[in-house]
Amino acid sequence: MILPAHISGGYLALNIVNKINPSLGLSTNALMIAGLVGSVLPDIDFVFFKYVKDHHNSWPHAPLFWIAIYLIVFTLGFILKNQIIRGYSTALIIGIMTHLFLDWFSGRTAGISLFYPFSQQVFSLYPLNPQKGEIPTSIFPNKEYIEFFKFYAQNKFLLFSEISLTISGFVLMIFNFLKGKTL
């Protein structure tokens, strides 16, 4: 998924969790921002790899890594009786796990390694075609990216899902803003 879809997915997930359990306090702007940072944080590995297809094969896209970090930080917050630490760690993990779920859901050239570092096996909802992801990691669009997006768009359900997710998240954000709610 592209950045706007990850942000929208994180925003929707945080709102859903907040509706289910408002006592977590995820409706504050600061925690919402933390969750949105989490929703894009795994893509930090994009700068370390030559090709797009490879950037999911590292610790930032490893659920076990993030779960371990979350448990350590949350436990520290619990021991210190610090609700701020627990709140930020919870918001971050919701955003991160949403990102990883969306990468699993939308993977066409790279899935996620659910059990990394114990296993390099990659999982994705759709069959993977890594050759189509052999485009340079760059923030500047180029001819290879156009070909990649043509390949990505061949799966109409996936394309519709990503567009719908992105629009839904931003519509909810605008609606909440107009109602005077937090992000």
Side-chain angles (χ1 to χ4, degrees), residues 2 4 9 11 40 55 57-58 63 70 78 86 92 98-99 103 111 124 140 143 161 163 168 170-171 178 180 183:
I2 59 173
Y11 185 75
V40 295
H55 92 276
N57 301 327
S58 64
Y70 170 71
F78 185 78
R86 294 189 313 235
L92 274 167
T98 302
H99 178 107
D103 279 353
S124 179
F140 302 107
K143 186 175 127 181
S161 297
I163 291 169
S168 298
F170 283 107
V171 166
L178 292 176
L183 282 174

Side-chain angles (χ1 to χ4, degrees), residues 35 43 82 107 114:
D43 277 341
N82 188 321
L114 287 176

Side-chain angles (χ1 to χ4, degrees), residues 7 14 31-42 91-92 95-96 99:
I7 292 169
L14 288 159
L31 290 180
M32 191 63 74
I33 289 169
L36 294 179
V37 167
S39 73
V40 295
L41 188 59
L92 274 167
I96 290 166
H99 178 107

Side-chain angles (χ1 to χ4, degrees), residues 9-137:
Y11 185 75
L12 290 168
L14 288 159
N15 276 276
I16 290 167
V17 170
N18 193 52
K19 287 282 188 199
I20 292 169
N21 189 355
S23 68
L24 291 174
L26 296 176
S27 63
T28 67
N29 276 339
L31 290 180
M32 191 63 74
I33 289 169
L36 294 179
V37 167
S39 73
V40 295
L41 188 59
D43 277 341
I44 194 162
D45 64 357
F46 198 80
V47 299
F48 301 118
F49 292 95
K50 183 176 180 180
Y51 296 112
V52 169
K53 70 177 179 71
D54 297 326
H55 92 276
H56 285 185
N57 301 327
S58 64
W59 61 266
H61 277 87
L64 293 179
F65 169 78
W66 293 111
I67 290 169
I69 296 296
Y70 170 71
L71 291 174
I72 292 167
V73 173
F74 187 86
T75 302
L76 179 65
F78 185 78
I79 291 168
L80 297 174
K81 295 180 171 111
N82 188 321
Q83 182 60 35
I84 293 172
I85 292 173
R86 294 189 313 235
Y88 277 99
S89 62
T90 299
L92 274 167
I93 197 69
I94 291 168
I96 290 166
M97 288 299 149
T98 302
H99 178 107
L100 297 177
F101 171 78
L102 292 174
D103 279 353
W104 167 82
F105 177 81
S106 66
R108 299 288 314 276
T109 62
I112 62 168
S113 298
L114 287 176
F115 304 108
Y116 181 91
F118 305 109
S119 170
Q120 300 290 339
Q121 184 175 358
V122 177
F123 295 87
S124 179
L125 181 61
Y126 298 100
L128 296 175
N129 188 342
Q131 296 78 18
K132 295 288 186 175
E134 290 180 357
I135 58 174
T137 55

